């Protein structure tokens, strides 16, 4: 391998060769092994610097986490650091602290936390040692930027020099901004504002205050692709700070290329970008002058990473704010019960925005009791009439149904056969294809099969779709309202890059009369001309087994209901249900978050569920269900067999291993074991030992498992 030019540290030239001693470095590597790895380095290395080291027959990028006086293994067994990377200043201590906390809290090796937190080019050895490395990704980016700067400077300056003036805040918004601005040191401030109350404006003005002090703002959102409005607003607002016209904003999300991601990361890390707007991955970006963290829609499930390090970006944001001594703002119309409980116990400050910023009333919510009604393709006469009325008045209508595809299952009416995925314990969903014909698709493994011409069991040719998804609703509405322009927004219609933005902008431009969509349409959009929201099939979520289902349903319905009548009075929501007396619906009808939260928290308390208990979930996977269950049974016994290692086990409850609800996905059987405690420290202490024992046992049993702290779904 040829030595890249970046690899020799300038420091080495300053060191007197006579005094030079071999330095030992302890390195975190992204390998599925617990612990850290010691190496020898001929040149001095700082903590937080990245190095390239040999590992087995590979070369890996690692982060130096310590420079011990003596190595953990005999010095002669140590291998040498191949290169010290000095294209970046060392990662700062506060970043190392955040990573260390996440590693301990979520029970993952430090290297598996640290390296994935860096943009891919910074953690790939080949980006430095390959033939076309050309000094490494940072140098390459700098050269590209220098070239581009010469060409675009003049036009860019002119375009950026206009910033949008801020509207005058209403008194509630003013109070909220003042509360954030006067926060002393670390405080968590929950901004609870009804939909359309102008929370964004509160964030923007609080952020401005921080920027004027020369500090940075980290702005977390659940989704960026779906809500380009926010990015535009931030860009417009912060293109001028003081007298200076320049781009202060960096954006980070998974839709970016590796190069774009690296650039945003570097701009936040260097302090060049003052505002970092990003999805959950942005929570780990080191920022030298961070003064405020904002977590918008803090209740949103997207903040939870669902594989690898299963972290909650909201919870890490709160920890980071605490560690830095800076305020953290959590905003939502429907705060998570965890956050709301902190407010009730006085740990979080609370400000509320009770009215809509444009001074229009919240929409009226009507529950349509469908028990004795004749429905037409799932629509009650009331809802159809209301759609017609709104369309005649030139207003837009949103039909919300949280199920994509044409129909959730295909069914044989003579023998009762239903379409099932051969690889999963799940029905296959009927999808109409854009071109022609249909397909049966499994929403769990993604597998697709052709629609059979006849029933595979009895040969009957009369196969019928059962139930309805977005496609079928769209089809029905276009027959029923032939004049109306209809758009469908779901994961299928927005698969191509940029297509969601395009569809949403058509809605905003008034080129769409009826919008049919899944929860994708409920988030963040400020539709100006939307008068009616119709909700179909909400009942499907009512009796889900997960204890968080009612909370999630309530939040989702409040969100989608909040799209109605935002700019003009007379907004209306029609929710069809067979269970109009359910507390979730009653609370929705009264726009009563607090009432719902009180009811739900009481219930959680009486059942001893989070936030009144702390949980971890162990999931084992195997080709044989018995093997997965066997592993969990074994895991359940560790504390019994080795009591001394588990001093807190009396405070920890281990449930019986059970198969997952969807037990088989892609021919892998899954089972779970729930761990619960009333004491967070007792649980953490237990998990530290348990995760070690699990690792050893799983290697022996050759079984895959995951351990999730604070599981979102159980
Ligand atoms: P939320 O995020 O709380 O649902 P938004 O931030 O989308 O609400 O604001 C709702 C609407 O109110 C937007 O159209 C916004 O431009 C407008 N708005 C916000 N603050 C004000 C204000 N002080 N005066 C007038 N309009 C405002
Ligand atoms: Zn049949
Ligand atoms: Zn499947």
């Amino acid at each position: 391998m040829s030595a890249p030019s970046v690899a020799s540290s300038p420091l080495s030239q300053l060191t007197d060769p006579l005094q030079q001693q071999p330095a030992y470095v302890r390195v975190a590597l992204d390998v599925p092994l617990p612990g850290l790895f010691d190496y020898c380095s001929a040149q001095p290395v700082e903590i937080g610097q990245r190095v390239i080291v040999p590992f087995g027959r590979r070369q890996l990028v690692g982060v130096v986490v310590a420079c011990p006086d003596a190595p953990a293994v005999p010095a002669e067994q140590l291998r040498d650091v191949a290169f010290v990377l000095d294209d970046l200043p060392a990662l700062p201590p506060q970043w190392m602290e955040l990573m260390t906390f996440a590693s301990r809290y979520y029970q993952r090796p430090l290297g598996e936390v640290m390296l994935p937190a860096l943009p891919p080019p910074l953690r790939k050895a080949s980006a430095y040692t390959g033939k076309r490395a050309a000094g490494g990704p940072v140098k390459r980016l700098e050269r590209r930027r220098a070239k581009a700067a010469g060409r675009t400077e003049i036009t860019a300056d002119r375009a950026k020099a206009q910033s949008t003036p801020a509207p005058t805040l209403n008194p509630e918004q003013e109070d909220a901004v003042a509360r954030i601005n006067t926060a002393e040191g670390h405080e968590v401030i929950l901004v609870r504002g009804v939909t359309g109350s102008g929370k964004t404006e509160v964030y923007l003005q609080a952020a401005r205050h921080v920027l004027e002090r020369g500090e940075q703002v980290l702005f977390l959102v659940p989704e960026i692709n779906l809500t380009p409005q926010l990015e535009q607003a931030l860009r417009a607002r912060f293109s001028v700070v003081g007298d200076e016209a320049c781009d202060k904003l960096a954006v980070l999300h998974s839709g970016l290329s590796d190069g774009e991601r690296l650039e945003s990361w570097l701009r936040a890390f260097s302090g060049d970008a003052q505002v970092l707007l990003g999805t959950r991955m942005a929570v780990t970006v080191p920022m030298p002058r961070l003064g405020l963290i904002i977590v918008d829609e803090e209740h949103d499930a997207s903040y939870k990473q669902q594989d690898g390090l299963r972290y909650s970006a909201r919870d890490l944001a709160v920890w980071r704010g605490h560690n830095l001594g800076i305020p953290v703002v959590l905003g939502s119309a429907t705060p998570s019960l965890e956050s709301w409980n902190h407010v009730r116990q006085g740990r979080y400050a609370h400000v509320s925005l009770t009215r809509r910023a444009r001074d229009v009333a919240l929409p009226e919510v009507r529950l349509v009791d469908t028990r004795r009604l004749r429905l037409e393709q799932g629509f009650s006469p009331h809802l159809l009439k209301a759609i017609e009325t709104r369309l005649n008045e030139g207003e837009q209508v949103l039909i919300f149904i949280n199920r994509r595809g044409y129909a959730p299952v295909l069914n044989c009416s003579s023998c009762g056969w239903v379409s099932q995925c051969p690889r999963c314990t799940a029905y296959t969903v009927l999808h109409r294809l854009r071109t022609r014909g249909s397909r049966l698709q499994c929403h769990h493994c993604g597998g697709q099969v052709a629609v059979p011409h006849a029933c595979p069991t009895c040969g009957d040719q009369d196969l019928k779709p059962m139930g309805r998804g977005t496609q079928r609703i769209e089809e029905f509405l276009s027959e029923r309202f032939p004049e109306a322009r209809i758009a469908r927004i779901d994961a299928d219609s927005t698969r191509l890059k940029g297509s969601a933005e395009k569809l949403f902008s058509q809605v905003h431009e008034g080129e769409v009369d009826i919008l049919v969509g899944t929860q994708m349409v409920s988030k963040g959009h400020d539709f100006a001309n939307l008068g009616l929201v119709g909700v179909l099939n909400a009942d499907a979520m009512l009796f889900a087994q997960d204890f968080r289902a009612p909370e999630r349903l309530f939040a989702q319905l409040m969100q989608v209901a909040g799209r109605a009548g935002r700019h003009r009075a007379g907004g209306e929501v029609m929710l069809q249900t067979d269970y109009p007396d359910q507390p979730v619906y009653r609370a929705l009808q009264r726009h009563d978050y607090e009432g719902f939260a009180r009811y739900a928290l009481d219930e959680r308390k009486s059942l001893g569920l989070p936030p009144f208990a702390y949980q971890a979930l162990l999931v084992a996977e195997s080709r044989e269900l018995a093997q997965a269950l066997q592993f969990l049974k074994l895991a359940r016994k560790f504390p019994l067999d080795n009591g001394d290692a588990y001093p807190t086990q009396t405070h920890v409850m281990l449930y019986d291993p059970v198969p997952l609800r969807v037990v088989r996905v892609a021919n892998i059987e899954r089972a779970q074991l729930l761990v619960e405690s009333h004491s967070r420290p007792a649980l953490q202490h237990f998990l530290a030992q348990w995760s070690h024992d699990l690792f050893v046992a799983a290697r022996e049993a050759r079984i895959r498992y995951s351990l999730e702290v604070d599981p979102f779904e159980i």
Side-chain angles (χ1 to χ4, degrees), residues 412-417 455-460 463:
C412 168
S413 41
S414 35
C415 79
W417 171 87
C455 173
T457 335
C458 74
D460 195 317
L463 298 178

PDB file of all heavy atoms in Angstrom, residues 412-417 455-460 463, ligand 2:
ATOM      1  N   CYS A 412     -60.839 -16.004  -1.394  1.00  0.00           N
ATOM      2  CA  CYS A 412     -61.703 -16.871  -2.195  1.00  0.00           C
ATOM      3  C   CYS A 412     -63.021 -17.031  -1.460  1.00  0.00           C
ATOM      4  O   CYS A 412     -63.064 -17.536  -0.336  1.00  0.00           O
ATOM      5  CB  CYS A 412     -61.051 -18.234  -2.410  1.00  0.00           C
ATOM      6  SG  CYS A 412     -62.202 -19.460  -3.079  1.00  0.00           S
ATOM      7  N   SER A 413     -64.113 -16.635  -2.122  1.00  0.00           N
ATOM      8  CA  SER A 413     -65.385 -16.634  -1.401  1.00  0.00           C
ATOM      9  C   SER A 413     -65.963 -18.036  -1.267  1.00  0.00           C
ATOM     10  O   SER A 413     -66.817 -18.267  -0.432  1.00  0.00           O
ATOM     11  CB  SER A 413     -66.381 -15.679  -2.073  1.00  0.00           C
ATOM     12  OG  SER A 413     -66.285 -15.799  -3.461  1.00  0.00           O
ATOM     13  N   SER A 414     -65.508 -18.987  -2.071  1.00  0.00           N
ATOM     14  CA  SER A 414     -66.110 -20.318  -1.891  1.00  0.00           C
ATOM     15  C   SER A 414     -65.416 -21.173  -0.830  1.00  0.00           C
ATOM     16  O   SER A 414     -66.067 -21.931  -0.131  1.00  0.00           O
ATOM     17  CB  SER A 414     -66.223 -21.087  -3.212  1.00  0.00           C
ATOM     18  OG  SER A 414     -65.160 -20.831  -4.056  1.00  0.00           O
ATOM     19  N   CYS A 415     -64.091 -21.066  -0.678  1.00  0.00           N
ATOM     20  CA  CYS A 415     -63.463 -21.921   0.343  1.00  0.00           C
ATOM     21  C   CYS A 415     -62.807 -21.136   1.481  1.00  0.00           C
ATOM     22  O   CYS A 415     -62.359 -21.713   2.467  1.00  0.00           O
ATOM     23  CB  CYS A 415     -62.429 -22.852  -0.290  1.00  0.00           C
ATOM     24  SG  CYS A 415     -60.853 -22.055  -0.638  1.00  0.00           S
ATOM     25  N   GLY A 416     -62.736 -19.804   1.345  1.00  0.00           N
ATOM     26  CA  GLY A 416     -62.184 -19.005   2.443  1.00  0.00           C
ATOM     27  C   GLY A 416     -60.675 -18.828   2.390  1.00  0.00           C
ATOM     28  O   GLY A 416     -60.077 -18.243   3.290  1.00  0.00           O
ATOM     29  N   TRP A 417     -60.049 -19.279   1.305  1.00  0.00           N
ATOM     30  CA  TRP A 417     -58.608 -19.086   1.153  1.00  0.00           C
ATOM     31  C   TRP A 417     -58.271 -17.585   1.176  1.00  0.00           C
ATOM     32  O   TRP A 417     -59.026 -16.764   0.657  1.00  0.00           O
ATOM     33  CB  TRP A 417     -58.149 -19.692  -0.189  1.00  0.00           C
ATOM     34  CG  TRP A 417     -56.730 -19.372  -0.559  1.00  0.00           C
ATOM     35  CD1 TRP A 417     -55.609 -20.050  -0.194  1.00  0.00           C
ATOM     36  CD2 TRP A 417     -56.281 -18.280  -1.382  1.00  0.00           C
ATOM     37  NE1 TRP A 417     -54.490 -19.461  -0.740  1.00  0.00           N
ATOM     38  CE2 TRP A 417     -54.871 -18.360  -1.464  1.00  0.00           C
ATOM     39  CE3 TRP A 417     -56.934 -17.222  -2.052  1.00  0.00           C
ATOM     40  CZ2 TRP A 417     -54.096 -17.450  -2.184  1.00  0.00           C
ATOM     41  CZ3 TRP A 417     -56.164 -16.313  -2.771  1.00  0.00           C
ATOM     42  CH2 TRP A 417     -54.758 -16.434  -2.831  1.00  0.00           C
ATOM     43  N   CYS A 455     -58.289 -19.926  -7.343  1.00  0.00           N
ATOM     44  CA  CYS A 455     -57.930 -20.229  -5.961  1.00  0.00           C
ATOM     45  C   CYS A 455     -56.991 -21.434  -5.905  1.00  0.00           C
ATOM     46  O   CYS A 455     -57.304 -22.491  -6.458  1.00  0.00           O
ATOM     47  CB  CYS A 455     -59.204 -20.512  -5.168  1.00  0.00           C
ATOM     48  SG  CYS A 455     -58.845 -21.090  -3.497  1.00  0.00           S
ATOM     49  N   PRO A 456     -55.839 -21.293  -5.244  1.00  0.00           N
ATOM     50  CA  PRO A 456     -54.889 -22.399  -5.172  1.00  0.00           C
ATOM     51  C   PRO A 456     -55.453 -23.602  -4.420  1.00  0.00           C
ATOM     52  O   PRO A 456     -54.978 -24.715  -4.594  1.00  0.00           O
ATOM     53  CB  PRO A 456     -53.702 -21.808  -4.403  1.00  0.00           C
ATOM     54  CG  PRO A 456     -53.933 -20.343  -4.315  1.00  0.00           C
ATOM     55  CD  PRO A 456     -55.381 -20.091  -4.534  1.00  0.00           C
ATOM     56  N   THR A 457     -56.477 -23.434  -3.597  1.00  0.00           N
ATOM     57  CA  THR A 457     -57.023 -24.549  -2.826  1.00  0.00           C
ATOM     58  C   THR A 457     -58.179 -25.242  -3.543  1.00  0.00           C
ATOM     59  O   THR A 457     -58.197 -26.460  -3.658  1.00  0.00           O
ATOM     60  CB  THR A 457     -57.534 -24.072  -1.447  1.00  0.00           C
ATOM     61  OG1 THR A 457     -56.843 -22.890  -1.092  1.00  0.00           O
ATOM     62  CG2 THR A 457     -57.337 -25.124  -0.384  1.00  0.00           C
ATOM     63  N   CYS A 458     -59.141 -24.463  -4.036  1.00  0.00           N
ATOM     64  CA  CYS A 458     -60.338 -25.102  -4.585  1.00  0.00           C
ATOM     65  C   CYS A 458     -60.522 -24.857  -6.087  1.00  0.00           C
ATOM     66  O   CYS A 458     -61.430 -25.413  -6.700  1.00  0.00           O
ATOM     67  CB  CYS A 458     -61.591 -24.655  -3.829  1.00  0.00           C
ATOM     68  SG  CYS A 458     -62.117 -22.978  -4.216  1.00  0.00           S
ATOM     69  N   GLY A 459     -59.693 -24.013  -6.662  1.00  0.00           N
ATOM     70  CA  GLY A 459     -59.759 -23.809  -8.103  1.00  0.00           C
ATOM     71  C   GLY A 459     -60.823 -22.823  -8.554  1.00  0.00           C
ATOM     72  O   GLY A 459     -60.920 -22.491  -9.731  1.00  0.00           O
ATOM     73  N   ASP A 460     -61.596 -22.315  -7.636  1.00  0.00           N
ATOM     74  CA  ASP A 460     -62.614 -21.321  -7.979  1.00  0.00           C
ATOM     75  C   ASP A 460     -61.934 -20.076  -8.558  1.00  0.00           C
ATOM     76  O   ASP A 460     -60.876 -19.663  -8.101  1.00  0.00           O
ATOM     77  CB  ASP A 460     -63.397 -20.961  -6.707  1.00  0.00           C
ATOM     78  CG  ASP A 460     -64.692 -20.229  -7.029  1.00  0.00           C
ATOM     79  OD1 ASP A 460     -64.656 -19.344  -7.905  1.00  0.00           O
ATOM     80  OD2 ASP A 460     -65.722 -20.546  -6.406  1.00  0.00           O
ATOM     81  N   LEU A 463     -61.930 -14.802  -7.180  1.00  0.00           N
ATOM     82  CA  LEU A 463     -61.131 -14.255  -6.082  1.00  0.00           C
ATOM     83  C   LEU A 463     -61.436 -12.768  -5.929  1.00  0.00           C
ATOM     84  O   LEU A 463     -61.444 -12.031  -6.915  1.00  0.00           O
ATOM     85  CB  LEU A 463     -59.645 -14.463  -6.355  1.00  0.00           C
ATOM     86  CG  LEU A 463     -59.188 -15.927  -6.461  1.00  0.00           C
ATOM     87  CD1 LEU A 463     -57.710 -16.006  -6.777  1.00  0.00           C
ATOM     88  CD2 LEU A 463     -59.504 -16.669  -5.178  1.00  0.00           C
TER      89      LEU A 463
HETATM   90 ZN1  LIG B   2     -61.040 -21.412  -2.827  1.00  0.00          ZN
END
